[in-house]
């Protein structure tokens, strides 16, 4: 099982970006999916999480600006980021709680990270 994240880049303050993270491999079920971020010199922090049923929670710092969603048919989670601020600059990581098909082993998987830079 692998997670691959896409969509990072350089954007001006006030701009938007959409991150995607796709899971592939021998998957029986994807439970919770989460976006984290880590800015230089800081600890990794949770940005947003979404359950298999679509219930979402957000960090206070991104509420009203970011939206997490998922497409269960495509095993993909998205993070729509609007009204971006310089303090949103970080490497964004996706995480998924996945039950493997066949083995029924359930564990956390991490994507490789995608860099978001908000700067004029």
């Amino acid at each position: 099982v692998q997670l691959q994240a896409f969509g990072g880049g350089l954007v001006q303050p006030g701009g938007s970006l959409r991150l995607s993270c796709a899971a592939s491999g021998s998957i029986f079920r994807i439970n919770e999916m989460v976006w984290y971020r880590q800015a230089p010199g800081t600890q990794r922090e949770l940005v947003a999480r979404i359950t298999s049923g679509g219930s979402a929670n957000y960090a206070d710092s991104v509420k009203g600006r970011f939206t997490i969603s998922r497409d269960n048919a495509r095993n993909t989670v998205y993070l729509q980021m609007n009204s971006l601020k310089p303090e949103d600059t970080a490497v964004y990581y996706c995480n998924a709680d996945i039950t493997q098909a066949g083995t029924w082993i359930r564990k956390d998987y991490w994507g490789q990270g995608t860099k978001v830079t908000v700067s004029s």
Side-chain angles (χ1 to χ4, degrees), residues 2-6 19-23 33-37 44 77 91-96 109-114:
Q2 289 186 328
L3 292 181
Q4 277 198 298
F6 307 91
L19 305 183
S20 303
C21 177
M33 303 184 88
V34 189
W35 285 101
Y36 289 85
R37 68 185 180 187
R44 192 171 295 188
V77 63
V91 178
Y92 285 70
Y93 298 90
C94 57
N95 169 274
Y109 292 87
W110 288 89
Q112 81 282 12
T114 183

Side-chain angles (χ1 to χ4, degrees), residues 48-97:
R49 68 200 317 163
I50 186 167
T51 67
S52 57
S55 295
N57 294 100
Y58 299 90
D60 287 343
S61 58
V62 307
K63 277 181 185 175
R65 300 188 298 121
F66 290 12
T67 302
I68 189 170
S69 61
R70 61 191 285 172
D71 183 336
N72 291 330
R74 290 182 167 83
N75 292 334
T76 299
V77 63
Y78 305 97
L79 187 68
Q80 177 66 45
M81 305 185 293
N82 299 328
S83 302
L84 282 160
K85 305 175 181 180
E87 51 264 43
D88 295 317
T89 296
V91 178
Y92 285 70
Y93 298 90
C94 57
N95 169 274
D97 174 2

